[in-house]
Amino acid sequence: ATADEHFRAAAVDIDEDELAELRHVYDGESRVTLDFDLGSGWAQSLALSLDEPDQLADFYIQGGLDAPSISDAGLRIRTPNRPPAHNFGIPDHDAVYLWTQQQFEGDLYVRFDFRSDLAGGLALLMLQASGMHGESPLSDHRLRTAGNMESVAWQDIRNYHWEFLREMNDVRNDVASHAMLKNPWRRPLGFGVEGPLRPAGEWRTLEFAQDGGHLRGAIDGVVVLDAVDDPGTSAGPVLSRGHVVIRCMSRTDLLVRDLEIWTRPVFDAGG
């Protein structure tokens, strides 16, 4: 008998709607395609093929300076293949952040292709990354030089943080899962399982779409995260100004190509 059959035989009461929601979140069932229109009001703010060496200058590199390089296949981010450093406060030069030099304002749409060439590791996006008053951490703060995780969640940087490649020792490794938080409050916004873990070496397409407080993340056109941010939660305003950042932890080998960033003005930037 299957696990579902065992459960149905033993359960006293079964809520089919709740079971469907659990299967949607934790098994990846009933996923929908991303229905998002870059129509009126949207403008392309950045477009990088990432196969030209001079395009590395479009990023500020924090942490592992040797990790990123440009190849004909795209921007390669390769960090040392060793266990990650978890000692907070001790500089971590294995992990790396790539900050767009450009800061963006308004609603946000981000798209790029990526390929993981090594099983394991972690790659995440920081979106709308700014200081606590909307200022730029690159031009208005002392530049950070270590790859510590603190820059994502424990320091004075507001951001939406989407872990889109999660193959670490402390998460399920039989499925591809996604998590989104709002920082520095570390407020969980969403979690979702995409489906079975995909093998290394496959190109995928990532999309992030923000319409006010409605945040969606999609892989290959399928929505894996659907979240709503609300300034009334005492976790700060809906974020609408900042940099886009790619962070890779140690033991990661990632290729990125064809980065596009689009923005749309909003009446109230929310701080």
Side-chain angles (χ1 to χ4, degrees), residues 126-143:
M126 292 165 61
L127 302 139
Q128 305 287 24
S130 74
M132 296 304 292
H133 301 284
E135 76 277 16
S136 168
L138 301 189
S139 60
D140 300 318
H141 288 198
R142 174 183 55 82
L143 288 173

Side-chain angles (χ1 to χ4, degrees), residues 4 24 26 46 70 87 89 91 97 106 128-129 136 142 167 195 210 222 237 254 258 266:
D4 183 70
H24 172 71
Y26 295 102
L46 184 68
I70 298 288
N87 296 320
Y97 296 77
Q128 305 287 24
S136 168
R142 174 183 55 82
E167 298 181 18
Q210 177 179 2
V222 177
L254 188 74
D258 296 331
V266 293

